[in-house]
């Protein structure tokens, strides 16, 4: 791996690191509310999966960059341009999902992000098949995140679908 490799792997982590530095004392616990889905992953699991996905995505971008000759050439514009557009959107999804507890806005960003990642897979596949395959766990995680976000959004719009306190719960 060339010296640029670690920079490509580390770049996707920049957004979450900055996000954590600014919000570590004010993180919301919306996944612990009564509205929690029984299959809502623990907060630490969410962070672990995103860390893994970001590392895979960074390495995949390095493979595409390397196979297209490196540097700043025009043939890199589309493959890495898609990557450069989706990366801040991915960071915004994390912020909306974990801190803002705004599932509606997070869902819109997730749908846009999903389309961008599918586009990346299609554009990267002819360049480097491994790079395209490394994005598949990202798509799988985005699917899980979108389903979870949709359920949280739907429940927030339909109060009758939310669990109601009962006498057995002590409320």
């Amino acid at each position: 791996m060339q010296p640029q490799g670690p920079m490509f792997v580390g770049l996707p982590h920049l957004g979450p690191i900055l996000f954590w530095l600014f919000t570590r004392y004010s993180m919301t616990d919306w996944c612990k509310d009564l509205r929690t889905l029984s299959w809502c992953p623990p907060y630490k699991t969410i962070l672990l999966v995103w860390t893994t996905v970001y590392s895979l995505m960074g390495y995949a971008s390095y493979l595409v960059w390397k196979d297209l000759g490196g540097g700043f050439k025009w043939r890199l514009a589309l493959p890495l341009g898609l990557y450069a557009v989706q990366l801040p959107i991915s960071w915004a999804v994390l912020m909306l999902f974990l801190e803002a507890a705004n599932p509606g806005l997070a869902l819109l960003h997730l749908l846009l992000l999903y389309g961008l990642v599918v586009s990346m897979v299609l554009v990267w596949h002819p360049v480097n098949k491994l790079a395209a395959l490394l994005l598949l766990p990202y798509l799988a995680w985005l699917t899980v995140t979108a389903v979870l976000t949709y359920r949280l959004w739907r429940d927030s719009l339909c109060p009758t679908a939310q669990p109601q306190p009962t006498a057995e719960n002590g409320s």
Side-chain angles (χ1 to χ4, degrees):
M1 182 183 298
Q2 296 176 4
Q4 296 89 342
M7 290 187 294
F8 274 88
V9 173
L11 176 65
H13 297 282
L14 181 62
I17 288 170
L18 291 173
F19 172 67
W20 178 79
L21 286 173
F22 291 115
T23 64
R24 67 178 177 243
Y25 299 115
S26 65
M27 295 296 276
T28 60
D29 288 333
W30 58 263
C31 239
K32 295 178 183 173
D33 288 346
L34 284 176
R35 296 183 303 150
T36 298
L37 303 173
S38 60
W39 49 276
C40 181
Y43 175 73
K44 288 183 180 181
T45 302
I46 292 171
L47 292 181
L48 178 64
V49 172
W50 274 112
T51 301
T52 303
V53 162
Y54 280 142
S55 297
L56 290 172
M57 178 183 16
Y59 183 65
S61 69
Y62 166 73
L63 292 175
V64 169
W65 175 83
K66 184 179 73 147
D67 284 1
L68 289 176
F72 296 98
K73 300 176 178 140
W74 275 107
R75 65 178 170 241
L76 289 165
L78 179 61
L80 294 184
L82 286 169
Y83 175 69
V85 168
Q86 71 81 37
L87 196 54
I89 294 171
S90 178
W91 296 339
V93 166
L94 268 180
M95 183 182 67
L96 293 167
F97 191 71
L98 296 175
E99 176 59 27
N102 188 338
L105 199 51
L107 186 59
L108 289 174
H109 280 77
L110 272 166
L111 295 175
L112 174 63
L113 183 59
Y114 200 88
L116 286 167
V117 176
V118 168
S119 299
M120 286 169 48
V121 169
L122 296 174
V123 170
W124 289 12
H125 187 265
V127 176
N128 187 303
K129 289 177 182 34
L130 177 59
L133 290 173
L134 287 173
L135 294 178
L136 296 182
Y138 189 18
L139 284 173
W141 181 243
L142 287 177
T143 302
V144 170
T145 306
V147 169
L148 179 63
T149 305
Y150 171 75
R151 287 288 309 269
L152 290 169
W153 173 72
R154 187 193 70 182
D155 290 351
S156 70
L157 292 179
C158 304
T160 58
Q162 298 175 5
Q164 301 297 319
T166 61
E168 294 106 33
N169 292 348
S171 297

